[in-house]
Amino acid sequence: DLLMFLFFQLSFLPSSCSKIPFFLFKELYLTFQALRDNRIELVRASWHELSISVSDVSLSDEGQYTCSLFTMPVKTSKAYLTVLGVPEKPQISGFSSPVMEGDLMQLTCKTSGSKPAADIRWFKNDKEIKDVKYLKEEDANRKTFTVSSTLDFRVDRSDDGVAVICRVDHESLNATPQVAMQVLEIHYTPSVKIIPSTPFPQEGQPLILTCESKGKPLPEPVLWTKDGGELPDPDRMVVSGRELNILFLNKTDNGTYRCEATNTIGQSSAEYVLIVHDVPNTLLPTTIIPSLTTATVTTTVAITTSPTTSATTSSVRDPNALAGQTGPDHALIGGIVAVVVFVTLCSIFLLGRYLARHKGTYLTNEAKGAEDAPDADTAIINAEGSQVNAEEKKEYFI
């Protein structure tokens, strides 16, 4: 009856008002009922277009809308309005600070009010974690969803200070996802390392041993010991924070030094074996002046064939003699000494071999007669008398 009354009223409208023959329905609601909602506003009305705007859209606005043109016959057009449910900002639960190294951590990220159901993703150090549990539940209004995701992992010291991020993706967020972040705090036992100030400690030099300790809570202070006991010389071995400063080294400092660090979680230590080396002797560079080693032998061979005395003298230079070598200014002292000794031994060996090959006595004619003669004249006479057997006493040197 109300609808018939509306048609009756429209038939008596003046021609100036006939431009409003369009009516908008939402399912079975009449036009005037829809327009009575303060959120709905008539934007444009003409023979060709009737437009409305809806502010502060809610899920109840979802449904089918119909536009009718009351002609003979009536013409209609329908459209379905879908309202998206924007997910709430996600929340991370399950973290209790601090967490001990090696414990199993379970974090849950939850968001409500999404339509359709939102998607949740986990990131750790900007790297996505795939192995997670996903749960979707319908809300009481039977239109939106509550989505939760659970992440399980075992923590270690590398996770300390790491940000774990839960990200919610949904088509209503216009490519700007909502995120929740949780920074991890992991407690762990100390790790200790000893760093010497020099890799080759020498006698008389200072030495600093640094005990590098990392842990949470931070271990402070550290304890230094030597060979299982206290430091033997506190005046010369000074402990400053994490450093052990030995003012000058000597052989009695040799031993095992131990650095021990402790915090509320546990204890750890490191050892350093100190060996004090002798200071090397500093030698000036030695220059060897080259010398030429020669062997000269003079030999006289007498053959009595005539009264004439012949003497042949030859001077022979040893071809195997080695000249002295000049060592480089920066050569090792051992190499220099070895070269000098080698050259000397070679010279002695060659000279001895040469003399051994010419062993014997070679006499001139005068010398042969002078063996038993009391004076020079008698020696000459004896020498002439011995010429008879000269052919039998010939000696040849090759």
Side-chain angles (χ1 to χ4, degrees):
D1 294 340
L2 183 61
L3 185 58
M4 294 300 296
F5 173 77
L6 183 58
F7 284 129
F8 178 77
Q9 293 294 326
L10 286 174
S11 64
F12 291 96
L13 288 176
S15 60
S16 59
C17 298
S18 60
K19 63 178 182 180
I20 317 179
F22 296 94
F23 295 90
L24 191 65
F25 295 89
K26 177 190 175 185
E27 294 179 347
L28 300 177
Y29 288 98
L30 299 177
T31 304
F32 74 94
Q33 289 178 323
L35 294 179
R36 288 177 62 181
D37 193 326
N38 294 330
R39 299 180 300 111
I40 300 177
E41 180 183 356
L42 183 63
V43 177
R44 181 179 176 83
S46 69
W47 285 104
H48 305 288
E49 180 182 351
L50 179 64
S51 301
I52 62 171
S53 66
V54 183
S55 61
D56 193 16
V57 177
S58 64
L59 292 174
S60 61
D61 295 322
E62 182 175 281
Q64 181 173 284
Y65 288 78
T66 303
C67 176
S68 299
L69 176 61
F70 290 94
T71 60
M72 296 302 289
V74 177
K75 298 179 179 179
T76 61
S77 178
K78 297 180 181 181
Y80 191 89
L81 176 64
T82 300
V83 179
L84 300 177
V86 181
E88 300 175 357
K89 183 176 177 62
Q91 300 291 331
I92 296 179
S93 60
F95 178 76
S96 59
S97 179
V99 180
M100 302 303 169
E101 183 180 23
D103 288 352
L104 182 64
M105 178 178 290
Q106 184 177 85
L107 299 178
T108 300
C109 180
K110 188 175 183 179
T111 180
S112 301
S114 61
K115 178 181 175 295
D119 184 29
I120 295 180
R121 301 166 67 185
W122 287 95
F123 294 86
K124 179 181 174 184
N125 276 339
D126 297 328
K127 183 178 180 180
E128 185 174 1
I129 303 173
K130 296 291 187 180
D131 188 15
V132 296
K133 299 176 183 178
Y134 183 83
L135 179 63
K136 179 178 68 173
E137 296 177 340
E138 192 176 48
D139 293 336
N141 59 15
R142 306 184 65 83
K143 293 183 179 180
T144 59
F145 296 90
T146 295
V147 181
S148 62
S149 178
T150 302
L151 171 65
D152 296 326
F153 65 101
R154 195 170 299 278
V155 299
D156 56 31
R157 62 187 60 198
S158 64
D159 294 322
D160 184 48
V162 171
V164 177
I165 296 176
C166 164
R167 192 176 85 180
V168 175
D169 294 322
H170 194 264
E171 53 187 302
S172 65
L173 298 177
N174 297 326
T176 305
Q178 293 183 347
V179 297
M181 182 174 64
Q182 178 65 62
V183 179
L184 305 182
E185 182 181 358
I186 313 299
H187 283 193
Y188 53 92
T189 57
S191 60
V192 183
K193 182 172 64 174
I194 298 178
I195 303 175
S197 59
T198 174
F200 192 78
Q202 297 180 0
E203 191 171 9
Q205 294 181 347
L207 176 66
I208 299 177
L209 299 179
T210 302
C211 182
E212 187 180 88
S213 59
K214 297 180 181 179
K216 195 166 186 177
L218 185 66
E220 187 70 31
V222 297
L223 176 64
W224 283 98
T225 58
K226 179 190 177 187
D227 296 331
E230 297 182 353
L231 298 177
D233 192 349
D235 295 333
R236 193 168 51 87
M237 300 179 178
V238 181
V239 177
S240 177
R242 292 182 174 83
E243 293 183 350
L244 172 60
N245 189 357
I246 305 177
L247 301 182
F248 53 90
L249 296 171
N250 55 48
K251 293 293 186 178
T252 61
D253 296 329
N254 290 340
T256 302
Y257 290 80
R258 181 185 179 92
C259 170
E260 186 176 285
T262 305
N263 63 7
T264 57
I265 309 302
Q267 182 184 88
S268 184
S269 62
E271 293 183 348
Y272 174 78
V273 178
L274 174 61
I275 300 176
V276 180
H277 300 271
D278 294 328
V279 179
N281 296 326
T282 304
L283 299 177
L284 296 177
T286 303
T287 302
I288 301 177
I289 301 175
S291 60
L292 182 63
T293 303
T294 60
T296 303
V297 180
T298 302
T299 305
T300 302
V301 180
I303 300 177
T304 306
T305 55
S306 64
T308 304
T309 301
S310 68
T312 304
T313 302
S314 63
S315 177
V316 180
R317 184 180 300 274
D318 185 3
N320 295 325
L322 298 177
Q325 300 181 4
T326 302
D329 291 342
H330 301 287
L332 296 175
I333 187 63
I336 296 175
V337 173
V339 171
V340 174
V341 172
F342 178 75
V343 171
T344 304
L345 292 177
C346 289
S347 300
I348 295 174
F349 174 76
L350 293 175
L351 182 60
R353 182 179 179 183
Y354 187 91
L355 294 177
R357 292 181 60 184
H358 297 80
K359 183 177 179 181
T361 302
Y362 300 92
L363 304 176
T364 60
N365 292 333
E366 291 82 1
K368 290 182 179 181
E371 292 179 353
D372 299 323
D375 52 30
D377 295 336
T378 306
I380 293 173
I381 297 173
N382 292 339
E384 293 177 352
S386 62
Q387 292 178 0
V388 178
N389 299 324
E391 293 297 330
E392 298 177 1
K393 296 182 179 180
K394 289 182 181 180
E395 294 183 358
Y396 297 91
F397 170 66
I398 301 176

